[in-house]
Amino acid sequence: MLARDVAQSHPDGVARLVLAGTRPGGPKAPPMPQQTVALMEEAATIDRDQLLRRFVENALAPSTVEMRPEVVERIMAHRLATAQDPAAWAAQAAAAMTFDAYDRIGEIAAPTLVIWGEADVVVDPRNSDLLCELLANWDNAVFPDGGHLFFWEAPPGFVH
């Protein structure tokens, strides 16, 4: 969302843009999937480490969680080593849920690559189609078996 804001506010300073697993915001954008909303509502009642694991697993495709548990463990190790204050995380989540740049997306002049995972249950994948409709100069890349953290699930495909 910050990269998108920079591209809109300073078009001469952005040659190319990548939007990965994001949304335009606003009332016309598909909302956060109910599965993630329910988890966020439960958050205050769950032990911190268990909550972190549930958020990590929720952000990955179910096939990754089931067949590649080492990905979950790598992310957990990273998240525990770089732990964010729960209040900061809550503020970030609230900002993301209320973000609205829908009417300004078309101002992005830079060629933009929109990337998403089809199994994303954090940001509804339909938002990527909507971004492409609103952007003037775009391309897209889909990770068919990817969740919200598709860049952890398929790093070579993401950086390629």
Side-chain angles (χ1 to χ4, degrees), residues 130-155:
L130 184 55
L131 283 168
C132 292
E133 288 175 21
L134 297 169
L135 290 162
N137 186 1
W138 60 272
D139 197 0
N140 65 2
V142 181
F143 285 73
D145 297 319
H148 187 64
L149 299 178
F150 58 85
F151 43 89
W152 279 90
E153 295 170 296

Side-chain angles (χ1 to χ4, degrees), residues 2 8 12 33 35 40-41 87 105 114 118 121 142 148:
L2 292 173
Q8 290 166 320
D12 295 337
Q35 175 178 327
M40 292 176 82
E41 290 170 348
I105 294 296
V114 179
E118 282 187 334
V121 295
V142 181
H148 187 64

Side-chain angles (χ1 to χ4, degrees), residues 3-5 7-8 14 16-20 22-24 101-116 127-141:
R4 189 173 51 233
D5 188 54
Q8 290 166 320
V14 178
R16 292 184 304 251
L17 180 64
V18 175
L19 299 177
T22 191
R23 57 193 292 274
Y102 185 92
D103 293 332
R104 294 186 58 216
I105 294 296
E107 297 171 15
I108 296 175
T112 303
L113 177 62
V114 179
I115 310 174
W116 72 94
N127 280 289
S128 296
D129 293 332
L130 184 55
L131 283 168
C132 292
E133 288 175 21
L134 297 169
L135 290 162
N137 186 1
W138 60 272
D139 197 0
N140 65 2

